[in-house]
């Protein structure tokens, strides 16, 4: 738990510009959409749509980041943790970077779909952020191994094992979401 708080503090310190930019962008989107849409349902749908665009752009950028941009991984690898624990901790704490867009999305859900329970939607949204962070973080770690996977049979088996394990984790998260929905 101490390492979780350390990584959360680390994210807030080193990503404060990104969080501030996302906050200003969320306020801008909220002000523009509230000016152009009259009904609450239209406003909520527009907020959901535009915040999902921004979230998609952020995750696409994380997945396509090069290994030269991975200065944070060297810091995290100094922890006395296994690789699986590092991926889980980093994924859970990176989900806090999306806080401004998540608030905008949840506000849009509360306006457009008031019949949904907002806490359940927030938990599902957080789990989806964690899943997206796991996928992007795994992809960033495996970048060097993917380049040399054809040269070594062992590396290709490790690469396959990692993605089969990630597929298993994805199935567990989908089952958890189905239980929450039911």
């Amino acid at each position: 738990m101490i390492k979780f708080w350390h990584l959360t503090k680390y994210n807030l310190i080193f990503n404060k510009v990104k969080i501030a930019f996302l906050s200003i962008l969320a306020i801008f989107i909220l002000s523009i959409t509230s000016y152009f849409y009259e009904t609450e349902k239209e406003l909520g749908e527009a907020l959901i749509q535009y915040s999902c665009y921004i979230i998609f752009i952020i995750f696409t950028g994380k997945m396509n980041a090069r290994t030269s941009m991975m200065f944070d991984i060297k810091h995290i690898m100094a922890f006395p943790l296994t690789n699986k624990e590092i991926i889980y901790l980093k994924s859970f704490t990176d989900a806090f970077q999306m806080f401004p867009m998540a608030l905008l999305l949840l506000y849009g859900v509360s306006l457009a779909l008031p019949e949904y329970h907002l806490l359940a939607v927030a938990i599902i949204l957080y789990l989806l952020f964690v899943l997206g962070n796991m996928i992007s973080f795994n992809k960033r770690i495996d970048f060097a191994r993917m380049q040399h996977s054809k040269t070594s049979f062992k590396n290709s088996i490790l690469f396959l094992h990692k993605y089969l394990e990630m597929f298993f984790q994805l199935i567990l998260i989908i089952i958890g979401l189905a239980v929450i929905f039911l």
Side-chain angles (χ1 to χ4, degrees), residues 84-148:
K84 188 181 293 187
E85 291 171 339
I86 289 172
I87 289 173
Y88 287 140
L89 276 174
K90 177 92 169 117
S91 300
F92 275 102
T93 57
D94 276 355
F96 289 112
Q97 291 178 5
M98 306 287 183
F99 190 68
M101 285 298 135
L103 284 179
L104 189 67
L105 186 90
L106 290 174
Y107 181 62
V109 168
S110 70
L111 291 177
L113 307 164
E115 64 272 4
Y116 288 157
H117 192 268
L118 199 59
L119 181 63
V121 173
I123 290 171
I124 292 169
L125 182 65
Y126 182 72
L127 289 176
L128 287 175
F129 284 163
V130 169
L131 177 67
N133 283 325
M134 278 185 194
I135 292 169
S136 65
F137 192 61
N138 273 339
K139 189 166 183 174
R140 285 170 46 201
I141 287 175
D142 283 337
F143 185 79
R145 182 168 286 156
M146 287 189 323
Q147 289 178 338
H148 304 292

Side-chain angles (χ1 to χ4, degrees), residues 6-19:
H6 174 73
L7 283 177
T8 304
K9 182 180 82 170
Y10 171 79
N11 273 333
L12 293 176
I13 290 172
F14 290 105
N15 295 316
K16 60 186 168 195
V17 174
K18 184 186 295 185
I19 294 171

